[in-house]
Amino acid sequence: MPTPEELDRIHIVLVRARNPNNIGAAARAMHDFGLRHLRVVNDYTVPFESARSAVDASEVLADAVACATLAEAIADCTLVVGTTAVGERDLQHPLLPLPKAAPSILAELRRNTGPNSAPGRVALLFGSEKTGLSNDELSHCNFLLTIPMQQREGERHLSLNLGQAVAVCLYEISRTPAQPVPAHPDIPSLPVPEAPKQREADPISGELDRLAQLIEETMEAVNYTTRGMRSANGEALRVLLRRLMPNDADLRRMMGLFRRILWQLKRPHDKF
Amino acid sequence: MPTPEELDRIHIVLVRARNPNNIGAAARAMHDFGLRHLRVVNDYTVPFESARSAVDASEVLADAVACATLAEAIADCTLVVGTTAVGERDLQHPLLPLPKAAPSILAELRRNTGPNSAPGRVALLFGSEKTGLSNDELSHCNFLLTIPMQQREGERHLSLNLGQAVAVCLYEISRTPAQPVPAHPDIPSLPVPEAPKQREADPISGELDRLAQLIEETMEAVNYTTRGMRSANGEALRVLLRRLMPNDADLRRMMGLFRRILWQLKRPHDKF
């Protein structure tokens, strides 16, 4: 069972949620399982304003933060986990059933991510009621989790509503035993324990975005990618960087190399 | 994980539920976790008539049975389990946290209850949204279960809504391992074998070396590294690539990008 301090490092991020009742139900589940930090991403007037006025809306809702973009909502997190109902699309991410995902989430909350001993921060993403998370939104994730179901053959696929999905995920996280459990081997990220020398800090999501941008710029500078392919490649690149999980030193090295390449490419050669 | 036949012997009983949306959400959770038998107890016109008309209402709702009394709803069951939020009243029943209650429920479903080998049937009771189960209703129960929560000290008590509570209970029952496991929540569940999913192959060491070489060549071409630092950097690069563990597709993508960068850098610019 995670400690209150650990639970404070989990951010529930509702992306494009449309129904204030669902936002209210998600906040309620958070309150019940001891979480505090709700972030709501919407590109229009955030519907949780009306959820806030609902009776029994908890302190969680009062303190919820509205973000204009998903990148902003997860910028300070070291692990980003998307939730998905399987069978929807071809997934490019590792997909873990919830009972296996929860120990990885807890391990991240307990992981020392760098020299100043900052522990990991986790974002748990839930998509809109109708469409779930888009491919672009999924590209920000390190891995995906799904709630295992047992629908009967031949029956329609229905998924849990948003409030139910949040409640089930938080229940599982909160029931996970206190003993550190080895992270699932299919997630390349969760760090191979290295020799106990000084460790480099892990970059947060916003830093990975900056590296991705730089690489995209380089790709464009060398015509590696046509303008039309850019958004698809950008998405793939975000997925790649999150799956690889470079640490801070790796990131600096890669940023340095790509800056240098760009500088070299942009030198006015024809003046020689 | 219970079999479909076992799940068919669980009856979800909603007692005095008032909100058709909650009844619909409960039915949806039942559908998702493979249950079929919903019974609704009300002493007035049953509100699930309007829930039935809701979009996406599942087959569960269509087959739901309205009962005039709780006794009627549970008459054919061998084990009756009530759900409760603790702290509400003095309980006269054994109270189990959900992770401990689920194995007992499964054991009953598998128990040979008599000479004609009929296995057990379980009723799982949920009370009204406002008041929960009354003492009279609790008196029909063999034991009670509660969903463990971690509300912060000094914060108001809120409970999950009805749809959330049903979803969490059914999730726990459905995640409980098939092998009888001692009913202790601190014992992590047995690993559920996953469906083999398509993974990209991991590159072999020689392929990583070729990528490392290509990156080194690029570094040199842009004077990112002095000749003296080359061997140190080469080693760091090999370590880096192995730590990041790119898969085959990543590798091809990276090779392609660096080949392109090199080609672009080596173009005879001064001829223009």
Side-chain angles (χ1 to χ4, degrees), chain B residues 64-230:
Chain B
V65 175
C67 302
T69 64
L70 176 57
E72 180 192 332
I74 60 176
D76 59 351
C77 295
T78 56
L79 178 73
V80 180
V81 180
T83 57
T84 182
V86 271
E88 280 175 3
R89 55 174 78 81
D90 290 331
L91 296 172
Q92 303 193 320
H93 286 77
L95 176 69
L96 296 185
L98 176 56
K100 285 191 180 179
S104 300
I105 290 171
L106 261 78
E108 178 67 13
L109 296 173
R110 287 160 190 168
R111 189 171 64 90
N112 181 341
T113 62
N116 48 2
S117 301
R121 299 187 84 83
V122 175
L124 189 51
L125 274 47
F126 294 85
S128 86
E129 295 92 338
K130 288 279 177 208
T131 59
L133 293 165
S134 70
N135 281 333
D136 181 68
E137 287 151 3
L138 289 174
S139 73
H140 291 88
C141 298
N142 297 100
F143 69 84
L144 305 184
L145 75 75
T146 191
I147 298 172
M149 308 227 163
Q150 336 198 21
Q151 287 164 3
R152 304 296 177 103
E153 271 197 34
E155 288 190 359
R156 277 181 306 154
H157 173 80
L158 296 175
S159 55
L160 296 174
N161 73 36
L162 182 56
Q164 290 173 315
V166 172
V168 168
C169 288
L170 298 189
Y171 166 77
E172 177 66 38
I173 289 170
S174 116
R175 91 190 273 300
T176 298
Q179 291 304 317
V181 162
H184 190 287
D186 280 354
I187 300 173
S189 59
L190 301 174
V192 182
E194 273 178 287
K197 61 183 169 229
Q198 249 183 335
R199 276 200 55 219
E200 282 284 345
D202 292 326
I204 56 174
S205 187
E207 291 167 341
L208 288 175
D209 283 342
R210 278 194 290 282
L211 175 59
Q213 204 180 349
L214 201 55
I215 296 179
E216 276 186 85
E217 223 178 301
T218 308
M219 286 176 163
E220 219 183 305
V222 297
N223 294 315
Y224 184 63
T225 168
T226 63
R227 194 165 279 270
M229 283 176 62
R230 259 176 70 193

Side-chain angles (χ1 to χ4, degrees), chain A residues 1-5 7-8 21 25-26 28-29 31-36 56-59 94-100 147-152 154-161 163-164 166-168 171-172 174-175 177 181 184 186-189 192 194 215 218-219 221-224 233 236-237 240 243-247 250 252-258 260-261 263-265 267 269-270 272, chain B residues 1-5 7-8 21 25-26 28-29 31-36 56-59 98-99 147-152 154-168 171-175 185-189 191-194 197 199 215 218-219 221-224 233 236-237 240 243-247 250 252-258 260-261 263-265 267 269-270 272:
Chain A
M1 190 169 271
T3 65
E5 293 69 32
L7 293 172
D8 279 345
N21 289 333
R28 206 165 159 140
H31 174 99
D32 286 345
F33 291 109
L35 278 77
R36 292 176 194 263
D56 266 350
S58 71
E59 293 82 350
L95 176 69
L96 297 186
L98 177 56
K100 287 191 179 180
I147 298 173
M149 308 229 162
Q150 334 199 19
Q151 287 163 3
R152 304 296 177 105
E155 288 189 358
R156 278 179 306 154
H157 173 80
L158 296 174
S159 55
L160 296 174
N161 72 36
Q164 289 173 315
V166 172
V168 168
Y171 167 75
E172 177 66 38
S174 113
R175 90 188 274 303
V181 168
H184 191 270
D186 278 358
I187 304 171
S189 67
V192 187
E194 280 175 275
I215 297 179
T218 309
M219 286 175 164
V222 298
N223 293 316
Y224 182 63
N233 268 327
L237 195 59
L240 171 67
R243 188 155 43 69
L244 299 186
M245 278 225 183
N247 65 28
D250 302 335
R252 280 197 303 276
R253 200 174 283 141
M254 290 193 261
M255 300 275 288
L257 171 60
F258 281 97
R260 181 77 199 194
I261 291 171
W263 177 83
Q264 190 82 15
L265 288 167
R267 280 172 55 189
H269 290 280
D270 26 16
F272 292 137
Chain B
M1 188 170 270
T3 66
E5 293 69 33
L7 293 172
D8 279 347
N21 289 335
R28 205 164 163 142
H31 174 101
D32 287 344
F33 291 110
L35 278 76
R36 292 177 195 264
D56 267 349
S58 71
E59 294 80 351
L98 176 56
I147 298 172
M149 308 227 163
Q150 336 198 21
Q151 287 164 3
R152 304 296 177 103
E155 288 190 359
R156 277 181 306 154
H157 173 80
L158 296 175
S159 55
L160 296 174
N161 73 36
L162 182 56
Q164 290 173 315
V166 172
V168 168
Y171 166 77
E172 177 66 38
I173 289 170
S174 116
R175 91 190 273 300
D186 280 354
I187 300 173
S189 59
V192 182
E194 273 178 287
K197 61 183 169 229
R199 276 200 55 219
I215 296 179
T218 308
M219 286 176 163
V222 297
N223 294 315
Y224 184 63
N233 268 327
L237 195 56
L240 169 67
R243 188 158 41 73
L244 297 186
M245 289 200 286
N247 63 30
D250 301 336
R252 283 195 302 277
R253 199 174 285 140
M254 289 193 265
M255 300 276 287
L257 171 61
F258 280 99
R260 180 78 202 194
I261 292 171
W263 178 83
Q264 189 82 16
L265 288 168
R267 278 171 60 189
H269 290 278
D270 26 15
F272 291 137

Side-chain angles (χ1 to χ4, degrees), chain A residues 11-26:
Chain A
H11 299 264
I12 300 299
V13 183
L14 304 183
V15 187
R16 294 179 293 110
R18 297 206 157 253
N19 184 337
N21 289 333
N22 288 339
I23 302 178

